[in-house]
Amino acid sequence: RLNIPITKKKQSEAQLKKALEIKNLYKIHEMAQTFFYNCLTKTGYGKPGIVYLQKRGINKEIIEKFHLGFAPPGWDKLSSAFIKRGISEELLLQVGLVVKKKSKGCYDRFRERIMIPIIDEKGRTVGFGARILNSGQPKYLNSPETPLFNKRRLLFGLNEAGKFIRQQEYAIIVEGYMDAIALASNGVSNVVAS
C-alpha cells in the first residue's frame, strides 16, 4: 500500500531449476487427473467404473467434487498419450505414474481401477489412490512416495473438508478414501481419511 518495494531473496540457479522441476511435477499430476476423469466420464473405458460407483451410491456430483476417474485397461494408455504430448518417460517415472520394465521401457502403474486423486491442502494433486473393481489384489494401489507425495503427511479430503471442519469445530477421521467419499455423498462434509 505504501509502495515500499519488497526485496526478494535471489535464488541460485540450482534452486530455480528445482522449483521448475516441482512445478512440472504438479502439472503432470493435474494432466493425469484430467486424463483419468475424462476416461471415466467421457469414454467407453469408464463404463465399468461408473457402474461400480453407482452401486456404491456415488453420483455425478461426488465424482466431480472428488475428481474421480478411471484408469483404462492396457499397459500404456496413459504413458503413450503423455509421451505424445512431450512428457518424458523419466518424469512419468519420477511421479510414479509408470513403472520401469525389467527390459527396456515402462508400463502404466494404474490399469482398470477407479482413480482417486490425492490432493493436498492447497488444492494440488500430488498422487493417486486406485481401487480395483473386482476382488483382485491389491484392493488399493497408491502412488509411490515422490518429491510431492508422502502419504504419512496428508489427510485425504482435507482440501474439501477444511472449511466444514472449521465451521463445525471438529473432524471425523475415517480409514480410507472410499469411506470419506461415501460419507461426503451422504452429506457429511467434515470428513478426512488417514
Side-chain angles (χ1 to χ4, degrees), residues 1 5 7 27 36 39 51 65 73 81 93 96-97 101 110 128 132 141 149 152 156 172 185 187 190:
R1 276 190 262 161
T7 57
K27 182 179 178 186
F36 293 134
C39 283
V51 169
K65 179 179 180 176
L93 282 164
L97 289 170
K101 291 181 183 177
F110 305 110
F128 293 92
I132 198 161
L141 182 62
F149 177 61
R152 289 178 297 282
F156 173 77
I172 298 170
S185 70
N190 58 331

Side-chain angles (χ1 to χ4, degrees), residues 19 143 147 158 176 180:
S143 290
L158 185 59

Side-chain angles (χ1 to χ4, degrees), residues 4 27 32 35 44 54 57 60 68 76 95 101 105 114 127 133 156 159 161 175 177 181 190:
I4 299 170
K27 182 179 178 186
F35 176 86
Q54 287 173 341
K60 287 181 183 180
L68 301 179
D76 67 348
V95 296
K101 291 181 183 177
I114 296 292
L133 298 180
F156 173 77
N159 61 308
E175 182 183 2
Y177 313 118
I181 291 167
N190 58 331

Side-chain angles (χ1 to χ4, degrees), residues 63-83:
I63 289 170
E64 191 173 313
K65 179 179 180 176
F66 285 95
H67 314 286
L68 301 179
F70 187 74
W75 292 92
D76 67 348
K77 296 283 193 242
L78 179 130
S79 54
S80 293
F82 278 40
I83 288 169

Side-chain angles (χ1 to χ4, degrees), residues 65-66 156-168 170-172 188-193:
K65 179 179 180 176
F66 285 95
F156 173 77
L158 185 59
N159 61 308
E160 288 289 332
K163 62 185 169 197
F164 299 106
I165 292 168
R166 282 189 294 279
Q167 287 171 357
Q168 297 177 30
Y170 71 96
I172 298 170
V188 181
S189 300
N190 58 331
V191 179
V192 293

Side-chain angles (χ1 to χ4, degrees), residues 26-110:
Y26 283 120
K27 182 179 178 186
I28 292 168
H29 277 97
E30 287 299 319
M31 290 172 62
Q33 176 183 304
T34 300
F35 176 86
F36 293 134
Y37 178 80
N38 288 342
C39 283
L40 178 68
T41 61
K42 297 179 180 180
T43 73
Y45 290 129
K47 188 170 183 172
I50 293 289
V51 169
Y52 172 83
L53 292 170
Q54 287 173 341
K55 284 181 184 175
R56 298 282 304 254
I58 297 168
N59 61 28
K60 287 181 183 180
E61 181 182 295
I62 296 298
I63 289 170
E64 191 173 313
K65 179 179 180 176
F66 285 95
H67 314 286
L68 301 179
F70 187 74
W75 292 92
D76 67 348
K77 296 283 193 242
L78 179 130
S79 54
S80 293
F82 278 40
I83 288 169
K84 284 179 188 173
R85 293 180 190 167
I87 306 296
S88 72
E89 189 177 290
E90 181 184 310
L91 282 173
L92 293 172
L93 282 164
Q94 192 174 355
V95 296
L97 289 170
V98 298
V99 177
K100 194 154 194 71
K101 291 181 183 177
K102 290 179 182 174
S103 58
K104 188 178 178 188
C106 63
Y107 60 90
D108 294 350
R109 177 179 302 276
F110 305 110

